[in-house]
Amino acid sequence: MTKTFAIVALAAVAAAGSVSAQALPERIKTAGKIVVANTPNYPPMEYKDPATNTLMGLDIDLGLALAKQLGVTVEWSDIGFEQMVPSVATGRVDIIHSGMSDLPKRRDALDFVDYMKSGAQFYTTAARKDELKSETDLCGKNVGMSRRTSFPDETAKWSAANCEAKGLPAVKVVGTEGSADARTQLKQGRVDAAVQGSETVPYLMTLEKGAYVSIGAPFTAIYQGIGFSKKDTELRDAYIGAMKALMASGEYKTILAKWNLESAALDGIYVNSEAQK
């Protein structure tokens, strides 16, 4: 069973220069809030401060800033990642903002307003840095990653092109219960390496200094996006306007810089991975 908890920062009614609330669907204007699906287990994108249980992260800061532009509050709905798309489809939540990759297979049900670049990144423990220096050193090795993400499929495709195609043994993909479980298995020696989003590995290294090393560069290139129901074009377009305002004011880059992800910033508005004029 999942639970919904309301939060956080009351976003002030649209200040000067903010996007007009008239751009919002009537149901949002009447409610005065956006209900946002978010699973707070993916730092630095979203997580709970261990000391205060307060939601933190880049997605949280950006979500609140966008809501402020629209003159509404945010209610974060803490639900399982696999339930997010059905929850948007049934109207249980209005949008998804939770480190979700803008993937073609998800666009059958969702439109995405993208907000940062990402990619899948191999990493291992510092103790094995001399053994696993390059990506192809992982051929034939056990590599852990969350089974709920796109990483297993992406790793299998990478392995087919870079291991099997060259006569090397395939990467052994080990599905885990999440990124924390993958790290636990890595520390225990049950897997040789792991995969996380390129936006999370630097943060992980700041938390556990000297514990991990990256292996090569990200081996995929994708965008993270805010997900909207295909039929909810009015709300999607309102968010596009709010994102434009944050980019124009510089607040967008300030939020990414706060989380040391300036290099992941986009140069404009992207919808379903396509640049918008």
Side-chain angles (χ1 to χ4, degrees), residues 10 45 56 64 105 116 173 177 205 247 271:
L10 291 173
M45 304 305 291
M56 301 179 66
L64 293 173
K105 65 181 180 181
M116 62 177 285
V173 174
E177 291 304 312
M205 291 177 176
M247 288 181 169
V271 175

Side-chain angles (χ1 to χ4, degrees), residues 114-130:
D114 301 321
Y115 59 92
M116 62 177 285
K117 294 177 284 189
S118 180
Q121 175 71 59
F122 292 121
Y123 70 101
T124 190
T125 58
R128 302 191 68 177
K129 64 181 181 180
D130 294 330

Side-chain angles (χ1 to χ4, degrees), residues 118-187:
S118 180
Q121 175 71 59
F122 292 121
Y123 70 101
T124 190
T125 58
R128 302 191 68 177
K129 64 181 181 180
D130 294 330
E131 175 191 356
L132 304 173
K133 294 180 179 179
S134 69
E135 295 99 320
T136 52
D137 290 333
L138 297 173
C139 297
K141 297 293 194 295
N142 294 312
V143 181
M145 63 209 74
S146 173
R147 64 170 57 94
R148 298 184 180 92
T149 67
S150 57
F151 296 150
D153 286 345
E154 291 164 347
T155 301
K157 289 177 183 177
W158 180 91
S159 176
N162 294 277
C163 297
E164 293 107 296
K166 298 176 182 178
L168 299 170
V171 170
K172 298 172 185 175
V173 174
V174 179
T176 69
E177 291 304 312
S179 56
D181 182 31
R183 290 195 299 277
T184 297
Q185 294 196 41
L186 182 59
K187 291 174 182 177

Side-chain angles (χ1 to χ4, degrees), residues 1-2 23 30 36 48 55 84 93-94 96 116 133 157 162-163 181 226:
M1 193 167 220
T2 57
T30 299
V36 182
K48 290 184 181 180
L55 272 179
M84 288 186 175
V93 301
D94 296 308
I96 300 167
M116 62 177 285
K133 294 180 179 179
K157 289 177 183 177
N162 294 277
C163 297
D181 182 31
I226 302 169

